[in-house]
Amino acid sequence: MRAIASDEGLPLDDPQALRDAEVPEPEPGPLDVLVRVEAVSVNPVDVKKRRSHKAGRGPLIAGYDGAGVVIGVGRDVHGLKEGDEVWWSGDATRPGSNAERQAVDHRIVARKPESATFADAASLPLTAITAWESLFDHLRLNREDHGTMVIVGGAGGVGSILTQLAKRLTALRVIATASRHESEAWALRMGADAVANHRDLVATVTDLAPDGVDYVFSSYTCGNVEAFAKILKPFGHAVSIDGTDESLLPLFAKSASMHWEYMFTRSRYGTWDIAEQSRILSAVADLVDRGEVMPTATHYIDDFTADGIREAHRLVESQAMIGKVVVHR
């Protein structure tokens, strides 16, 4: 089948950084569905995987968001059948969605929102699961929970859906961070109550929340731990999706907690509750179909080839993306 492959971590302008390739058909296992891929989105993890791929490991087929149609089911699959329109976020240890077809564990797949196109649907799975796990697995929030949350990277892919979920499913006040007029406008459109400038995080958050905040969600943690410690209230919580190797000691005096969110943990380790990700996607699909959550695609590339994926990587690498970029057939 046709796929978009990377052979090693080359600069994006190198023709071999992403190339059209013929690769073997996926071999679905008993728990897998075989999906005809109609649309994907590109996330920072795609860029990181491409950049770090070593020569000699064989072609990397990335793609950690997808929407498409089930064309085959394994013998132990339940709840899905051929012809179902589905969405998923894949498994970082297996070939991804940048291909004509993909085999995916059905426990991390769900029916896509009926009201969304394949392209719009592809904008949400990875970011929605990341946001949901942050709010409800790590912070254990519910509809009655009050307080203030700062979302660092509020106009990005995860920040966009996290804001929406926090405003629909909790009673939190949300302060998103942005530094440009366009990103500020987008964060407010997603439902943020206020916007702080991440270039002057402590001062601008303190202006909006003089007594401190209860929660920080961070897509940009490196170099910001001390700032988080300053704006968090005692016993506050921070969730990081990008990790950091700097000291967490500044959080100590406030007995603040740092949580790490990695949405591939369940699929990577085959955890007992791996099917929770299918349930999360089903819940988000219902929210989309009820009009309570909107897809976050802002760039659409109608070119499911290496050239189209390359342009999507270029947009993500610019670090100026608002929302998500999708590539569709």
Side-chain angles (χ1 to χ4, degrees), residues 258-292:
M258 176 65 84
H259 306 261
W260 309 114
E261 160 58 16
Y262 181 59
M263 63 79 51
F264 295 115
T265 296
R266 284 183 162 117
S267 57
R268 178 182 290 273
Y269 294 101
T271 60
W272 67 271
D273 62 346
I274 185 174
E276 181 70 7
Q277 292 197 336
S278 177
R279 189 192 71 79
I280 291 169
L281 289 175
S282 295
V284 175
D286 287 342
L287 290 169
V288 173
D289 283 336
R290 295 202 304 265
E292 295 184 40

Side-chain angles (χ1 to χ4, degrees), residues 138-139 214-216 228 232-240 248 251-252 254-260:
H138 296 295
L139 299 180
D214 303 275
Y215 310 101
V216 171
F228 298 165
L232 277 169
K233 294 179 180 178
F235 304 103
H237 295 261
V239 180
S240 167
L248 302 181
L251 300 171
F252 175 76
K254 288 186 174 178
S255 295
S257 300
M258 176 65 84
H259 306 261
W260 309 114

Side-chain angles (χ1 to χ4, degrees), residues 176-190:
T177 73
S179 61
R180 295 176 292 141
H181 292 306
E182 310 96 295
S183 52
E184 179 177 352
W186 176 261
L188 293 171
R189 182 183 174 195
M190 293 299 99

Side-chain angles (χ1 to χ4, degrees), residues 114-129:
E114 293 181 0
S115 60
T117 65
F118 287 113
D120 279 333
S123 72
L124 280 179
L126 183 148
T127 56
I129 293 171

Side-chain angles (χ1 to χ4, degrees), residues 17-38:
L18 290 161
R19 62 179 177 85
D20 295 306
E22 291 287 331
V23 299
E25 288 275 348
E27 295 184 6
L31 288 169
D32 290 340
V33 289
L34 183 64
V35 186
R36 183 179 71 243
V37 181
E38 298 292 339

